[in-house]
Amino acid sequence: MSNLKNTLTTKRFVIRKSLIGKNTVITFVNKKQETVTYNHDEVYNTHKERFESMNCFQKYKSYTNSNCVPSFCRDLQTVTE
């Protein structure tokens, strides 16, 4: 695994199979206009079984939430206003 950090700015919370192992830090702005940043691999690895069992993850190879960070992942986020 590389120590290089990739950054990605999106419009929503996202976990994608294509980003696994790429050490990507993702940033997006939620509905409350807070900037949320999280480490994609850390969130995925912590909740791997949960993501892998989701129909959307199996079918589309990704999980997204346009409003906020899912409650089961909130302990892994950083919020700045």
Side-chain angles (χ1 to χ4, degrees):
M1 189 183 331
S2 173
N3 289 333
L4 182 67
K5 288 222 187 267
N6 297 314
T7 57
L8 178 66
T9 303
T10 66
K11 294 182 179 181
R12 63 189 54 87
F13 176 87
V14 63
I15 297 293
R16 290 187 197 132
K17 281 193 176 186
S18 63
L19 293 175
I20 295 169
K22 300 210 171 157
N23 207 18
T24 303
V25 174
I26 300 177
T27 302
F28 75 98
V29 178
N30 67 15
K31 276 187 161 183
K32 296 177 184 176
Q33 298 305 306
E34 299 168 324
T35 300
V36 178
T37 302
Y38 60 96
N39 182 302
H40 179 276
D41 289 346
E42 182 181 0
V43 172
Y44 173 76
N45 291 329
T46 302
H47 301 288
K48 181 177 181 175
E49 289 180 16
R50 189 174 201 148
F51 288 118
E52 293 290 341
S53 68
M54 293 178 177
N55 289 334
C56 62
F57 202 74
Q58 293 172 15
K59 187 173 182 178
Y60 302 110
K61 298 179 178 27
S62 70
Y63 169 82
T64 62
N65 187 323
S66 58
N67 298 324
C68 60
V69 174
S71 59
F72 64 91
C73 298
R74 289 192 183 138
D75 59 329
L76 301 172
Q77 72 177 352
T78 303
V79 177
T80 54
E81 300 195 32

